[in-house]
Amino acid sequence: ADAHPARAGAAAAGASQDTSALTTPGVSVPTPAASAPRSASPTGATGPVTTANLLEPAAFGPDVGVGRIHVTDRYGDGRYANAACSGEKTLNQTLGGPGAHFRGLMTSPRTDADDPTLAADRVHQVAREVAAEALRPSLAQNFAERLLLEEVPCQDEPPGHWVYGRTRALQLAPNVTASWMGTYEGSLNTTGTAPDDKDPCGGIAVLRSGNHYAVLEVDACLGTAAMDRVVRAALSRL
């Protein structure tokens, strides 16, 4: 019960998605050169999501050696960063929308046979982001709210089970917002909820910028300050 189910079983669970349109078929690609994050406009993003909107390895320095991080991308459907306590559905099952951009950031070039955005051994998974666009900003906001609600049940678990911490809000501009929750191992869950006086070990974020929305799961063991920095970096790119 102490293990994080999204980490323990996601590699096996990823087999069900459509991978017929992989942008980078199951092969680790060289890390793209880091580009300066674009400033969030007052109205947020417009148009389609591209790989330029996804998080880059530089966001994890100095906590994770940036030169060690491999990036793999694909486009399609699949299980996103939802754990067993929230149902483990695919993005399409949750939102009923089209495909999305999936990006895996890993410290090993070995990827899961069925999903190149998952590390073959989850100990090497740094993070995984799923991002897509909606027809209009109001719909993206609705999608982001629904995705966040999918994770809320994981904030209350029996003592000894891993648990998400309280929801933290972040806003860079109107229509450019994020909500994230830290992950706490079962040994820190003594009351059924996460402790307020301890740092998390990674976490999950739901982001929205204009008509773009995304879910980011951070597997790297980052504390509160580092998680906030990474979520800000992801939101500024989205």
Side-chain angles (χ1 to χ4, degrees), residues 1 29 41-42 47 52 78-79 88 95 98-99 106 124-125 133 150 174-175 192 197 206 215-216 231 233:
V29 298
S41 67
R79 299 189 188 278
E88 289 193 330
L95 300 178
M106 297 156 279
H124 294 296
Q125 193 84 33
E133 72 277 352
E150 286 285 320
N175 288 333
D197 59 345
V206 177
V215 180
L216 172 67
V231 173

Side-chain angles (χ1 to χ4, degrees), residues 1 72 147 155 166 170 179 191 232:
T72 56
L147 290 168
Q155 291 178 313
R166 64 181 177 87
L170 191 159
S179 298
T191 63
R232 284 177 182 273

Side-chain angles (χ1 to χ4, degrees), residues 44-50 53 132-137 209-213 238:
T46 59
V49 168
T50 71
N53 298 117
E133 72 277 352
L135 294 176
R136 53 191 180 276
S209 175
N211 73 319
H212 293 182
Y213 61 95
L238 186 65

Side-chain angles (χ1 to χ4, degrees), residues 111-151:
T111 63
D112 180 77
D114 296 307
D115 188 337
T117 64
L118 290 170
D121 184 345
R122 289 304 296 272
V123 72
H124 294 296
Q125 193 84 33
V126 176
R128 188 167 180 253
E129 185 176 18
V130 183
E133 72 277 352
L135 294 176
R136 53 191 180 276
S138 60
L139 188 56
Q141 180 179 5
N142 176 275
F143 285 173
E145 290 172 352
R146 288 163 61 185
L147 290 168
L148 183 63
L149 286 174
E150 286 285 320
E151 311 304 329

Side-chain angles (χ1 to χ4, degrees), residues 2-236:
D2 187 56
H4 189 314
R7 297 189 179 104
S16 63
Q17 70 272 11
D18 175 15
T19 57
S20 61
L22 300 183
T23 56
T24 306
V27 176
S28 183
V29 298
T31 299
S35 57
R38 293 161 295 171
S39 297
S41 67
T43 55
T46 59
V49 168
T50 71
T51 55
N53 298 117
L54 303 179
L55 189 63
E56 292 189 337
F60 292 92
D63 301 279
V64 181
V66 174
R68 298 171 52 215
I69 299 178
H70 300 262
V71 176
T72 56
D73 294 327
R74 72 173 180 85
Y75 182 86
D77 188 23
R79 299 189 188 278
Y80 58 102
N82 53 354
C85 59
S86 62
E88 289 193 330
K89 294 176 286 190
T90 69
L91 193 67
N92 184 274
Q93 287 170 333
T94 299
L95 300 178
H101 289 272
F102 286 68
R103 167 163 288 185
L105 299 101
M106 297 156 279
T107 57
S108 169
R110 293 183 60 247
T111 63
D112 180 77
D114 296 307
D115 188 337
T117 64
L118 290 170
D121 184 345
R122 289 304 296 272
V123 72
H124 294 296
Q125 193 84 33
V126 176
R128 188 167 180 253
E129 185 176 18
V130 183
E133 72 277 352
L135 294 176
R136 53 191 180 276
S138 60
L139 188 56
Q141 180 179 5
N142 176 275
F143 285 173
E145 290 172 352
R146 288 163 61 185
L147 290 168
L148 183 63
L149 286 174
E150 286 285 320
E151 311 304 329
V152 169
C154 303
Q155 291 178 313
D156 295 279
E157 291 291 338
H161 192 285
W162 76 269
V163 66
Y164 282 143
R166 64 181 177 87
T167 305
R168 300 172 184 266
L170 191 159
Q171 182 171 7
L172 299 187
N175 288 333
V176 184
T177 62
S179 298
W180 69 271
M181 299 176 282
T183 301
Y184 292 81
E185 298 299 334
S187 60
L188 296 177
N189 175 13
T190 60
T191 63
T193 58
D196 284 329
D197 59 345
K198 302 289 185 182
D199 263 347
C201 183
I204 187 170
V206 177
L207 314 107
R208 183 179 73 91
S209 175
N211 73 319
H212 293 182
Y213 61 95
V215 180
L216 172 67
E217 184 180 30
V218 177
D219 292 88
C221 194
L222 304 185
T224 302
M227 275 294 299
D228 188 80
R229 187 188 70 244
V230 168
V231 173
R232 284 177 182 273
L235 186 58
S236 70

